[in-house]
C-alpha cells in the first residue's frame, strides 16, 4: 500500500503530533509522517520527532515576513514530497498564498466545539460561560483563524469542579483519538 505523505506543523509540546506519528506505525494506516516543521527551533515536540527518526525543518520565523517564512515552509514540504499538511498546535497565522497552495489538503485541530471559542484560552472561556459541554474539532484550513469546513468533532462533558487544566486534559485525550482518525479518513477519500 502506498501511503500519503503528511507534514506536521508544530510550535510547542507536540502531543497531537506524537499521536499522529503513533497512529502511523500501524500497518493499515493510510498515511506516513514525512516531515515535522516547527517555527520554534527548540519546540519540545522536536525531540520526539528526532527520537523517531522523522526529518525536521525547524526555523524561527523572526525577521521574516509571513509570506517569506511560509514560502520556506512550503519549499521544505515540497522537497519532502508532502501531500497533506496537519497543523498540530501551530500557533501562527498562515499567509493567504500558503493556505491557497494547500487548500483541501491542510487540516487543523482546535480545542473547542467550533464555531464556538475560536482563538486561545478555550478551556477557561468555556468554564467562564458555564457551558455543559466542550470538545475539539478537526477542520480544513481556510484563510480565517480556526475556521473552515468541519470534518469531525469529539465532545466531553464539563464536570463539577473542573478547572481549565482538568478540562484541557480531558479534551486533549479526545484530540489524540480524533486527529489520527480524521486525517486517515481525509487521505483515503
Ligand atoms: C492542542 O490542544 C491543540 O488543539 C491546540 O493547541 C494544543 C497543542 O498541543 N491548537 C490550537 O489552539 C489551534 N488554534 P500539542 O502541541 O500538545 O498538540
Amino acid at each position: 500500500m502506498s501511503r500519503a505523505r503528511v507534514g506536521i506543523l508544530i510550535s510547542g509540546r507536540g502531543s497531537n503530533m506524537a499521536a499522529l506519528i503513533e497512529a502511523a506505525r500501524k500497518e493499515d494506516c493510510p498515511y506516513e509522517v514525512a516531515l515535522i516543521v516547527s517555527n520554534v527551533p527548540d519546540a519540545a515536540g522536536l525531540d520526539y520527532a528526532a527520537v523517531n527518526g522523522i526529518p525536521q525543518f525547524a526555523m524561527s520565523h523572526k525577521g521574516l515576513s509571513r509570506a517569506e517564512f511560509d514560502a520556506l515552509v512550503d519549499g521544505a514540504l515540497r522537497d519532502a514530497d508532502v501531500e497533506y499538511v496537519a497543523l498540530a498546535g501551530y500557533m501562527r497565522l498562515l499567509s493567504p498564498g500558503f493556505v491557497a497552495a494547500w487548500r483541501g489538503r491542510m487540516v487543523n485541530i482546535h480545542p473547542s466545539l467550533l464555531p464556538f471559542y475560536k482563538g486561545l484560552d478555550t478551556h477557561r472561556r468555556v468554564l467562564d460561560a458555564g457551558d455543559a459541554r466542550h470538545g475539539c474539532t478537526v477542520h480544513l484550513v481556510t484563510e480565517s483563524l480556526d475556521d473552515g469546513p468541519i470534518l469531525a468533532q469529539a465532545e466531553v462533558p464539563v464536570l463539577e469542579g473542573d478547572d481549565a487544566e482538568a478540562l484541557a486534559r480531558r479534551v486533549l485525550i479526545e484530540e489524540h483519538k480524533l486527529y489520527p482518525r480524521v486525517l486517515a479518513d481525509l487521505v483515503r477519500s
Side-chain angles (χ1 to χ4, degrees):
M1 178 185 70
S2 110
R3 297 176 179 220
R5 293 175 67 78
V6 171
I8 303 176
L9 275 53
I10 67 168
S11 298
R13 178 178 57 182
S15 72
N16 277 290
M17 171 208 74
L20 294 173
I21 291 171
E22 287 308 315
R25 287 188 201 284
K26 299 206 184 91
E27 219 169 90
D28 61 349
C29 184
Y31 68 82
E32 64 184 304
V33 179
L35 184 70
I36 305 299
V37 172
S38 177
N39 66 313
V40 178
D42 60 352
L46 290 172
D47 295 341
Y48 186 92
V51 165
N52 284 277
I54 299 173
Q56 306 181 359
F57 176 81
M59 181 181 166
S60 171
H61 56 271
K62 289 180 188 155
L64 295 174
S65 73
R66 197 173 298 285
E68 282 168 348
F69 183 74
D70 286 359
L72 293 178
V73 171
D74 186 70
L77 292 166
R78 290 180 195 285
D79 285 349
D81 292 323
V82 162
E83 300 164 274
Y84 292 86
V85 173
L87 308 182
Y90 189 62
M91 298 315 219
R92 205 174 143 70
L93 291 173
L94 298 167
S95 56
F98 188 87
V99 172
W102 293 96
R103 189 177 302 281
R105 295 182 296 135
M106 178 157 60
V107 283
N108 180 42
I109 187 152
H110 182 73
S112 79
L113 296 172
L114 291 174
F116 303 105
Y117 304 110
K118 296 174 182 178
L120 299 174
D121 210 13
T122 58
H123 313 297
R124 161 69 43 217
R125 288 155 63 206
V126 163
L127 288 171
D128 288 349
D131 292 359
R133 59 194 196 103
H134 184 31
C136 53
T137 302
V138 178
H139 64 94
L140 289 169
V141 175
T142 60
E143 282 77 9
S144 316
L145 176 74
D146 299 328
D147 204 354
I150 290 172
L151 299 177
Q153 295 183 312
E155 281 191 27
V156 302
V158 179
L159 303 178
E160 192 89 26
D162 262 346
D163 59 15
E165 290 69 35
L167 193 51
R169 272 196 297 277
R170 286 210 312 289
V171 171
L172 195 63
I173 290 169
E174 296 306 318
E175 293 186 42
H176 296 165
K177 291 191 272 188
L178 185 71
Y179 210 2
R181 177 167 67 73
V182 177
L183 181 59
D185 286 348
L186 178 71
V187 309
R188 267 195 208 103
S189 66

